Amino acid sequence: MNNKLPYLITAFGISINVLGGFVATFYDLPIFLNNLGTILCGLLLGPAGGALTGLLKFNYWFYC
C-alpha cells in the first residue's frame, strides 16, 4: 500500500463531510450527510482512520 494513500483517503473523507454538511443545511434535509466521509474512511482505513477523519472534520467545522 502506498504511504500517501491514507492521507489522500482522509482528505477525501473530510471534503465529503464538509460538502455533505453544506448540502444538508442548504436543502434543510433531515439526514446527516456530513458523516458519509467518516463512515467511508472507517471502512477503508479502520477505526483509527475513521476517528481521525471525524476529529479533523470537527475541528474544521468548529473553527471555520
Side-chain angles (χ1 to χ4, degrees), residues 31-49:
I31 56 176
F32 298 109
L33 293 178
N34 59 347
N35 291 328
L36 293 176
T38 304
I39 293 168
L40 180 68
C41 287
L43 289 173
L44 294 176
L45 300 175

Side-chain angles (χ1 to χ4, degrees), residues 4 19-20 37 55 63:
K4 295 181 182 178
L19 183 64
L55 180 68
Y63 293 115

Side-chain angles (χ1 to χ4, degrees), residues 2 5 8 10 13 19 23 26-28 30 34-35 37 41 46-47 51 55-56 63:
N2 192 358
L5 188 61
L8 181 65
T10 303
L19 183 64
V23 168
F26 183 74
Y27 289 113
D28 284 333
N34 59 347
N35 291 328
C41 287
L55 180 68
L56 291 174
Y63 293 115

